Amino acid sequence: MNLIFFLLGVGFVYAQGDVLDDRKSEFKRLTFYDYRGTNSIDLAFGTSVPNGDLLEPQFEIYFKGGYKLHFAEHFNLGVSYSKYNIAFKDIYNQGFMSFDINLEYLMLPYNKFTPFIYAGYGYNAANYFESTSSKVQGAAGLEYIFADRFGLRLFAEYNYAFSDELDGLIAGSGDDTFIRTGLGLHMYFGGRKKKERIRKKLKTVINSNLIVPYNK
């Protein structure tokens, strides 16, 4: 009989532990939707600098606008349009645009402050599509949620173009590369229904799995 009571007690402890773990997980998800959402608009300004075949590369203006779908707390898939220049002092200054798609990973999605990384594929074009090329890109950065659903972002992005013509000169054995850095505003929206479902689930779990017996 004592063994039966012991086993029942162990089972009760494990069951309560599972309830607590479930509550913690749901509270974390609720925090994500407090700070962020299922969608976001991304706007950024910064600079671009080339690494090509010419000397004295210059920093030029860079602008980006995009949209992201957050299909999980840690992951999102985004598309963006960027406008930037590639310039070398007194020699070359050409405007470009790129259309990019990236998979992004948020390291700490339940916190206001989180590092992030992303990588993807892009289509690069000179102004008026005089020349085009494909490219790949990867970036790392930091995001800080300064108000519910609004975040500031600082990032640096490395781009490898499958072309040696970005700087207007075909020379050397490698393709051209460039770096874009920026400060951006992230505006989150969506997820209200998911947030409400989480609240209802938490209420049900708490009311039906009391750790301490309820006394009237």
Side-chain angles (χ1 to χ4, degrees):
M1 184 64 68
N2 290 336
L3 178 60
I4 293 174
F5 281 115
F6 173 76
L7 293 175
L8 289 173
V10 171
F12 175 78
V13 170
Y14 275 104
Q16 294 296 342
D18 290 341
V19 170
L20 286 174
D21 289 341
D22 189 45
R23 286 170 60 181
K24 287 179 182 179
S25 176
E26 293 304 315
F27 272 121
K28 286 173 67 176
R29 294 188 63 211
L30 195 62
T31 301
F32 174 84
Y33 289 111
D34 283 338
Y35 294 153
R36 298 176 172 90
T38 52
N39 305 270
S40 62
I41 298 295
D42 184 21
L43 300 174
F45 292 91
T47 62
S48 63
V49 61
N51 179 24
D53 302 308
L54 301 173
L55 299 177
E56 298 188 77
Q58 288 190 307
F59 289 91
E60 281 288 339
I61 293 176
Y62 155 59
F63 164 80
K64 179 179 75 169
Y67 162 80
K68 294 177 183 177
L69 173 64
H70 297 257
F71 58 89
E73 282 91 354
H74 283 281
F75 291 96
N76 67 69
L77 187 66
V79 292
S80 63
Y81 167 80
S82 298
K83 188 74 180 69
Y84 65 101
N85 278 36
I86 296 292
F88 294 86
K89 186 177 180 180
D90 299 328
I91 299 175
Y92 183 81
N93 194 324
Q94 174 67 50
F96 287 88
M97 53 187 162
S98 71
F99 305 86
D100 303 323
I101 181 168
N102 291 299
L103 178 65
E104 181 176 273
Y105 175 71
L106 294 174
M107 296 182 184
L108 302 170
Y110 312 111
N111 294 359
K112 285 188 174 184
F113 179 83
T114 178
F116 64 87
I117 56 174
Y118 66 76
Y121 176 84
Y123 177 76
N124 214 49
N127 285 347
Y128 309 108
F129 292 89
E130 294 173 355
S131 63
T132 62
S133 65
S134 58
K135 70 181 182 72
V136 290
Q137 64 275 341
L142 300 170
E143 178 182 73
Y144 176 71
I145 302 297
F146 65 92
D148 286 355
R149 305 211 165 201
F150 286 91
L152 283 176
R153 286 194 158 204
L154 180 66
F155 64 93
E157 178 189 273
Y158 178 83
N159 294 260
Y160 182 94
F162 297 109
S163 170
D164 193 28
E165 300 182 36
L166 261 65
D167 55 9
L169 177 65
I170 300 177
S173 58
D175 292 328
D176 293 331
T177 64
F178 58 94
I179 295 173
R180 301 189 296 206
T181 58
L183 179 64
L185 176 66
H186 227 59
M187 297 170 285
Y188 291 93
F189 61 97
R192 301 292 185 186
K193 291 182 179 179
K194 288 188 176 181
K195 184 176 178 180
E196 187 58 31
R197 283 199 295 269
I198 294 170
R199 287 187 184 279
K200 288 180 179 178
K201 182 178 179 181
L202 275 171
K203 185 177 180 180
T204 301
V205 169
I206 292 171
N207 289 340
S208 61
N209 296 277
L210 297 174
I211 304 300
V212 179
Y214 177 73
N215 295 318
K216 292 184 179 180

